[in-house]
Structure formats: structure tokens, C-alpha cells
């Protein structure tokens, strides 16, 4: 490619998207005789050749167990694995010791919740006392959370006697800093929230909520699943204490996720899973644990997945996170304006002009989400239908399910227009209009 | 594309999804059962009333929210069930289940299943078989509680 000057503040162009799409083999699939329009990247993203090749290359040339064994391949594998950690850590502004590999974001959030639970049972000694919860303490989530950032906190409340409270959302499914301030108090110990909602696309006022939480002595856990793939992230800059995200939503493999924790906190948090790879000395009655992050990585880890995730991060950095974010803003606006203009369609989430990620969930009056999804699928359009693992939010909005279209850097305006065209027809097909 | 879609959403199904035969409450029910599909959140409550002193179904009513497949399926079931004995109901449930499991290889018997034969196309959509079965599973549990 000849040298071109790219303005990094500008969205990816349609022309560039066409080039990017050639990197993603799955995007060339046909579905029901139509070219696939993959509008389900918020569930899982497609993977570029570079990522698929990196995993395969590792497996073909360097595959070995890490952090054990003295042979050459074991050394190469360990080096690649730890390099991957540094790459992913730098991607979110963190140090390598602040990044723990997990199975996915759900696993990462459980790791934190169970760390608190174990500390509450006296594990982790004096250093872990800051994590101990008791009756009277409060855990605060929002009403819009994915079940992955809700159910672990319900469990933590149940085993510690702490109270789970929530920041309520309005009829659009969003909340304000004021709504958060009304719920947080000196009893709040943990505030757990999504950076970007996987249903509404709402971008949380994270810095403001961190300030509120820290002023009351609470720690903040950020679910960054829908932000890490789509916008530049500086987790230390945001001030959050823990954060979680999944590899498969950011062009990487399944089976790998990330927990970020401020070094000082990770060093004090008791482990969740125990066993091999996380200990220094073991006797028949006792064990000493390694420092973070190894302390949280019991068992043989997902090595090739970590290496492929680092490649995904490099791919994202080559394209540029700011340019991806700008592009997705445009796509979101196109979807929102188009869908909101269709009689009988109600869009969920922030209105026009309010920041939102590249996804729109909507309800089609008189047609169930399952039927909408099936109708679109017959036209090659892949969307998500159901409650998107956010039942309380749907209940609050008076819905059992909704349809979600989500974009990524490789989404074309034509795909969005195909969605809009079919969405226009769906009520008539099912006799609702 | 339209062929495959029309095969799933037969006109009979689309009509039943709007007509909703048997939708509502019963003054008196001899059995009731609530079923939920955890993957999509669809739910249905099926209620059965027998003719006094017999095992013959006076009426089958249902309430709930779901996709057109599960709604139409409940409507078809309600239409079919009236006047059947519990044993006859069970044999229809068995035939319906068998049809959905056949993946379209066997021609279903319209004399046994009535409008329910329209659900044959559903058998090719693994993800939708549960939707179609939901009210029938509830009815089966009602029968089970009465025998
Ligand atoms: C906001 C949010 N949180 C958490 C998750 C859970 O991610 P995973 O299933 O990869 O653990 C998801 C993905 O579905 C999500 O969108």
C-alpha cells in the first residue's frame, strides 16, 4: 500500500471499510441465499485473518505449557504469553501486573465478587480486610446491567449479608449522575456498572460516578465489555478500581477475558480459584500464593487465545480506536434515525444527539422479537433477539424481549440500510400493520 | 429466501397467532400449568377444565406472551383440545412432538393434528421447536396432574 496520510480524528471511510472487510473471512458468508449482513457484533465479533493466523502460527511452532518446563518451546510460549499480557495491558493504559487472564468477562466479574466473599470470610489476612463486607454494607449496581454484572453481586450480598441496591433507569433505560448520587451513601462499598450498555448503547458517566464512589469510600467495578472493543480506554485515567472485558467481542478468540485491577488492590485480594500455577509453597495443610496476577490464574491457562487476543489488539490499534468510535457513531445515528422513523417501532436508549455506542435495540409493536429476528435472518441479516441477558432492564421498559442490531468497524452503510428496509416490512408481514 | 420463510410461517400459523383461540381465563380450572422458555423469556399459562365427572376436556384456555410460533401453537392446541378425553389429548401431544422431531421427513396426519400440521415447517428450525412445544408441554403437565 502506498503511503497515505490519515486524519486520525476522522471516521473510517466507506472505502476503507471495504478494504477492512477483506480481512474478515466470515463476512463473506451467504445466509439463506443472501449476503450475510452481520449486525450482531455486540454478542460476538468476527475475527480477521491476522488473529486467526496468529493463533495457528503459535500452535504450529511454539505450542507448550507456560511457566513450567525448561525446554525451548516452553520458554518461547511463556515469552509470547507474557508479551501478550503486556500488549493487552498497554491497550487499556495498565501495567502488565494489573491484568489477569480469565475465561471471559463473566469469569472476571466472578473473580472479583468471590474475592470479596473470601475476604469477608477472613481469607487474605489483614491486607484483605478492606474487601470484607458485612450486614449494613451496600453493593450498588444499575438497573441496566447485563446478568454477568448483576448475579455475582446478588450472590456476594447473599453470602455476606450486605444489601444490594440499584440505580434506577428512566423510561428510555438510561440514568443520570444525579440518579447515581441519590443511591450512593457512606454505606456503599462497591459500585458495579457497565461502561456501555449492551442493550441501550448508553455510555455511562464513569468518571463522575468514580468520583462519587471514591468520596464515599466505595470501590468501582467497570464492565467494559462493550467499550473496550469500540473506543480508546484508559482505565487508570478513568479511575476505576476493577474492570472486565471479553476477547471474543474485540476480534479475539472465545475462552479468554481480562480482569484489570489497580496493582495495590490485586495484591491484596484473596484468590477465587486455587490449585496449580498460583502457589509458591504447598504443604499438606497449607499453601502460599504467588503475587498478582498469577495468584488469580489457577490451572493451565488459555495460552493460544491470549496470544491471538494480543494480535486483535494490534489490529484495533492499526485501525485506530478513535476512528472506530467515530465510524460507529455515524452508523448508530443512521440506525436510530431510520428505525425511529418507522411506524410501530420503538427504539430503546438515548435519543439523537446523546452519546451512544454503535448499537440500537428496538421493539416492533405487535411482532415478537423472535419473529423479527427470523424475518431478518431470511434476508441474510443477523441480529440478536431476546432479553440480551438483561431481564430486569427489559421488565423495567415493559418488554419481554427486544431486537438488537449492533455494528462494528466492518459494518457497511448498505448493511444498515438493508436492516432498515426489512424493518419497514416486518409488521405488514406478521399482520400487525 | 421467501420460500423458507413461508414454509415456517404458514398462513394458518400467522392467522392463529392473531386469532388467539382460547386466550383468556377460565371460571373454574381442574388443572393449570405455567411454562417458560428460558432462552427467550416466552411464557404461557395453560388451564384445563373437564366436563363434570368425566375425563373429557370442556375447555382449554391459555395466557402468556410469546412469538407468533408459540402463540399460534397455543391457539391451535386450544381449538384441538375441546371435547377430547385426556388420553386422546395425550396422543395428539405425542403426534405433535413426533412431527417436530422428524425434521419434516414424515407426512403428518391431518386427521389427528388438524391445523397443527402447519407446524411441520418449524421442525427444520431447531431454535423454534421449543417455541412450538411450549403450550403443549404445559398441557401435558396438566394432563399428568389429573391422571
Ligand atoms: C455488557 C456486557 N457484560 C458482560 C457480558 C458477558 O460477556 P461474556 O459472556 O463474554 O463473559 C456481555 C456479553 O454478552 C456484555 O455485553
Amino acid at each position: 500500500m502506498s503511503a497515505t496520510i490519515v486524519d486520525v480524528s476522522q471516521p473510517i471511510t466507506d472505502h476503507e471499510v471495504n478494504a477492512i472487510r477483506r480481512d474478515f473471512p466470515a463476512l463473506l458468508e451467504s445466509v439463506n441465499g443472501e449476503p450475510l449482513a452481520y449486525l450482531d457484533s455486540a454478542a460476538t465479533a468476527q475475527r480477521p485473518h491476522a488473529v486467526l493466523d496468529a493463533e495457528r502460527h503459535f500452535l504450529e511452532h511454539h505450542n507448550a505449557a507456560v511457566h513450567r518446563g525448561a525446554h525451548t518451546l516452553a520458554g518461547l510460549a511463556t515469552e509470547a504469553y507474557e508479551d501478550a499480557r503486556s500488549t493487552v495491558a498497554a491497550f487499556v493504559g495498565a501495567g502488565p501486573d494489573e491484568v489477569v487472564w480469565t475465561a471471559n468477562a463473566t469469569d472476571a466479574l466472578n473473580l472479583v465478587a468471590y474475592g470479596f466473599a473470601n475476604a469477608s470470610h477472613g481469607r487474605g489476612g489483614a491486607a484483605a480486610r478492606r474487601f470484607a463486607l458485612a450486614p449494613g454494607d451496600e453493593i450498588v449496581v444499575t438497573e441496566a446491567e447485563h446478568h454477568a454484572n448483576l448475579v455475582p453481586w446478588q450472590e456476594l450480598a447473599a453470602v455476606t449479608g450486605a444489601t444490594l441496591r440499584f440505580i434506577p433507569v428512566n423510561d428510555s433505560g438510561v440514568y443520570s449522575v444525579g440518579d447515581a448520587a441519590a443511591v450512593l451513601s457512606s454505606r456503599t462499598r462497591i459500585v458495579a456498572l457497565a461502561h456501555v450498555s449492551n442493550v441501550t448503547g448508553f455510555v455511562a458517566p464513569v468518571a463522575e460516578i468514580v468520583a462519587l464512589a471514591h468520596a464515599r469510600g466505595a470501590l468501582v467495578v467497570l464492565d467494559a465489555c462493550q467499550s473496550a472493543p469500540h473506543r480508546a480506554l484508559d482505565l487508570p485515567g478513568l479511575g476505576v478500581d476493577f474492570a472486565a472485558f471479553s476477547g471474543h467481542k474485540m476480534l479475539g478468540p472465545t475462552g479468554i477475558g481480562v480482569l484489570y485491577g489497580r496493582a495495590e488492590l490485586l495484591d491484596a485480594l484473596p484468590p477465587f480459584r486455587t490449585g496449580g500455577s498460583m502457589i509458591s509453597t504447598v504443604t499438606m495443610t497449607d499453601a502460599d500464593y504467588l503475587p498478582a496476577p498469577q495468584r488469580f490464574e489457577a490451572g493451565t491457562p488459555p495460552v493460544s487465545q491470549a496470544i491471538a487476543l494480543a494480535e486483535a489488539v494490534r489490529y484495533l490499534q492499526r485501525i485506530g480506536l478513535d476512528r472506530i468510535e467515530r465510524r460507529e457513531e455515524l452508523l448508530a445515528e443512521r440506525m436510530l434515525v431510520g428505525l425511529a422513523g418507522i411506524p410501530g417501532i420503538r427504539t430503546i436508549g438515548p435519543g439523537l444527539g446523546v452519546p451512544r455506542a454503535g448499537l440500537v435495540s428496538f421493539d416492533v409493536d405487535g411482532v415478537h422479537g423472535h419473529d423479527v429476528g427470523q424475518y431478518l435472518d431470511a434476508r441474510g441479516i443477523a441480529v440478536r433477539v431476546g432479553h440480551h441477558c438483561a431481564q430486569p432492564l427489559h421488565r423495567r421498559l415493559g418488554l419481554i424481549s427486544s431486537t438488537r442490531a449492533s455494528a462494528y468497524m466492518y459494518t457497511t452503510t448498505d448493511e444498515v440500510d438493508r436492516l432498515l428496509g426489512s424493518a419497514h416490512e416486518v409488521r405488514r408481514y406478521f399482520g400487525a400493520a | 429466501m421467501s420460500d423458507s420463510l413461508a414454509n415456517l410461517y404458514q398462513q394458518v400459523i400467522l392467522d392463529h397467532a392473531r386469532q388467539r383461540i382460547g386466550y383468556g381465563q377460565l371460571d373454574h380450572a381442574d388443572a393449570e400449568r405455567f411454562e417458560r422458555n428460558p432462552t427467550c423469556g416466552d411464557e404461557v399459562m395453560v388451564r384445563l377444565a373437564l366436563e363434570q365427572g368425566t375425563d373429557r376436556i370442556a375447555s382449554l384456555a391459555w395466557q402468556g406472551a410469546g412469538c407468533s410460533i408459540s402463540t399460534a401453537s397455543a391457539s391451535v392446541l386450544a381449538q384441538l383440545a375441546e371435547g377430547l378425553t385426556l388420553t386422546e389429548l395425550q396422543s395428539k401431544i405425542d403426534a405433535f412432538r413426533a412431527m417436530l422431531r422428524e425434521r419434516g421427513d414424515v407426512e403428518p396426519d391431518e386427521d389427528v393434528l388438524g391445523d397443527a400440521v402447519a407446524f411441520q415447517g418449524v421442525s427444520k428450525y431447531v431454535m423454534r421447536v421449543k417455541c412450538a412445544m411450549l403450550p403443549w408441554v404445559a398441557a401435558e403437565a396438566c394432563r399428568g396432574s389429573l391422571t
Side-chain angles (χ1 to χ4, degrees):
Chain A
M1 208 162 89
S2 63
T4 45
I5 295 169
V6 175
D7 182 343
V8 293
S9 69
Q10 290 301 307
I12 302 167
T13 63
D14 284 338
H15 183 70
E16 286 171 292
V17 167
N18 290 334
I20 286 171
R21 289 174 71 81
R22 287 196 281 278
D23 292 340
F24 290 81
L27 298 179
L28 301 176
E29 287 294 304
S30 290
V31 168
N32 296 318
E34 305 276 340
L36 170 66
Y38 188 74
L39 297 178
D40 198 19
S41 291
T44 203
Q46 298 301 345
R47 301 179 210 170
H49 284 296
V51 169
L52 299 168
D53 293 348
E55 188 162 6
R56 187 176 185 97
H57 184 269
F58 170 79
L59 292 170
E60 286 181 349
H61 299 285
H62 301 146
N63 185 37
V66 295
H67 289 302
R68 52 185 85 151
H71 58 81
T72 301
L73 255 50
L76 289 170
T78 303
E79 203 177 307
Y81 177 68
E82 291 304 329
D83 282 353
R85 192 194 303 274
S86 302
T87 301
V88 174
F91 179 66
V92 293
D97 291 347
E98 296 179 310
V99 159
V100 178
W101 297 123
T102 63
N104 47 41
T106 305
D107 187 39
L109 292 163
N110 274 281
L111 192 164
V112 178
Y114 278 88
F116 274 87
N118 291 342
S120 306
H121 294 130
R123 300 299 297 160
R129 224 166 275 153
R130 63 192 301 176
F131 302 114
L133 300 189
D137 289 334
E138 294 182 354
I139 305 165
V140 173
V141 297
T142 83
E143 203 176 1
E145 293 312 304
H146 188 285
H147 298 159
N149 200 28
L150 170 59
V151 183
W153 306 117
Q154 293 175 343
E155 279 294 319
L156 178 60
V159 299
T160 60
T163 303
L164 183 67
R165 302 191 62 191
F166 66 86
I167 301 165
V169 300
N170 67 17
D171 292 345
S172 303
V174 308
Y175 61 91
S176 67
V177 177
D179 297 329
V183 177
L184 269 62
S185 74
S186 58
R187 290 183 299 278
T188 310
R189 301 289 311 282
I190 301 170
V191 180
L193 76 159
H195 192 177
V196 169
S197 161
N198 65 312
V199 179
T200 64
F202 174 64
V203 184
V206 177
E208 289 87 341
I209 290 179
V210 167
L212 286 176
H214 285 176
R216 288 157 182 75
L219 295 171
V220 177
V221 182
L222 189 71
D223 175 354
C225 270
Q226 299 293 347
S227 56
H230 303 282
R231 52 183 58 221
L233 264 195
D234 174 8
L235 292 173
L238 276 176
V240 297
D241 299 289
F242 295 99
F245 51 96
S246 275
H248 68 95
K249 294 183 197 284
M250 48 192 286
L251 316 182
T254 51
I256 184 105
V258 169
L259 172 70
Y260 158 82
R262 285 200 291 119
E264 171 213 355
L265 295 173
L266 279 188
D267 279 337
L269 190 72
F272 165 33
R273 270 188 272 274
T274 54
S277 305
M278 52 78 71
I279 48 77
S280 53
T281 315
V282 180
T283 68
M284 278 318 292
T285 52
D286 234 329
D288 285 332
Y289 303 145
L290 289 168
Q294 270 76 29
R295 173 162 6 122
F296 301 102
E297 297 176 353
T300 304
V303 181
S304 65
Q305 291 91 327
I307 285 157
L309 178 56
E311 195 59 39
V313 159
R314 282 189 283 272
Y315 188 94
L316 290 169
Q317 288 168 329
R318 275 200 299 279
I319 308 276
L321 271 297
D322 289 336
R323 304 196 64 219
I324 293 171
E325 186 186 343
R326 296 282 98 76
R327 166 91 190 167
E328 291 174 12
E329 271 170 15
L330 294 179
L331 294 170
E333 187 180 309
R334 196 179 185 94
M335 285 198 276
L336 190 59
V337 171
L339 287 167
I342 300 174
I345 288 190
R346 163 191 169 198
T347 59
I348 299 166
L352 263 186
V354 184
R356 86 140 69 205
L359 63 90
V360 181
S361 298
F362 56 98
D363 176 53
V364 182
D365 186 34
V367 187
H368 189 277
H370 238 163
D371 297 319
V372 177
Q374 195 87 55
Y375 184 81
L376 296 175
D377 183 63
R379 284 152 179 75
I381 304 164
V383 295
R384 173 86 187 261
V385 297
H387 49 61
H388 321 310
C389 299
Q391 285 180 15
L393 175 62
H394 278 82
R395 206 167 290 126
R396 168 65 182 81
L397 299 175
L399 301 171
I400 288 180
S401 73
S402 65
T403 304
R404 179 186 71 195
S406 55
Y408 209 173
M409 62 166 80
Y410 42 64
T411 304
T412 65
T413 47
D414 178 57
E415 287 174 314
V416 170
D417 292 347
R418 280 172 62 195
L419 166 75
L420 298 176
S422 292
H424 256 289
E425 301 156 5
V426 71
R427 289 184 75 231
R428 191 164 340 111
Y429 184 87
F430 288 101
Chain B
M1 81 82 208
S2 42
D3 283 357
S4 67
L5 205 62
N7 194 28
L8 173 65
Y9 293 115
Q10 311 253 341
Q11 196 55 46
V12 179
I13 291 182
L14 293 176
D15 291 346
H16 267 284
R18 305 219 73 76
Q19 283 172 317
R20 297 161 161 257
I21 295 170
Y23 187 88
Q25 266 279 17
L26 292 177
D27 302 340
H28 156 82
D30 293 296
E32 62 174 41
R33 175 70 170 212
F34 177 79
E35 283 289 334
R36 188 160 208 278
N37 181 348
T39 41
C40 60
D42 284 5
E43 35 190 58
V44 68
M45 169 69 102
V46 169
R47 295 188 176 88
L48 255 184
L50 299 178
E51 285 171 17
Q52 204 142 41
T54 72
D55 76 339
R56 198 168 285 286
I57 296 165
S59 54
L60 182 155
W62 60 278
Q63 285 177 308
C67 63
S68 60
I69 301 294
S70 69
T71 308
S73 178
S75 172
V76 166
L77 172 68
Q79 183 182 54
L80 205 62
E82 208 174 304
L84 298 181
T85 65
L86 291 174
T87 313
E88 287 164 349
L89 173 69
Q90 186 61 49
S91 65
K92 304 228 185 241
I93 294 171
D94 293 341
F96 189 69
R97 179 178 282 127
M99 175 182 73
L100 288 175
R101 287 193 179 152
E102 287 296 344
R103 299 200 141 230
D105 294 341
V106 179
E107 207 48 49
D109 187 346
E110 194 160 354
D111 291 341
V112 176
L113 285 174
D115 280 356
V117 294
F119 288 85
Q120 191 188 11
V122 177
S123 66
K124 296 213 179 62
Y125 295 81
V126 187
M127 319 248 273
R128 307 305 295 273
V129 167
K130 259 197 186 155
C131 309
M133 276 311 297
L134 199 66
W136 299 67
V137 168
E140 191 171 37
C142 288
R143 187 199 89 94
S145 73
L146 291 170
T147 48

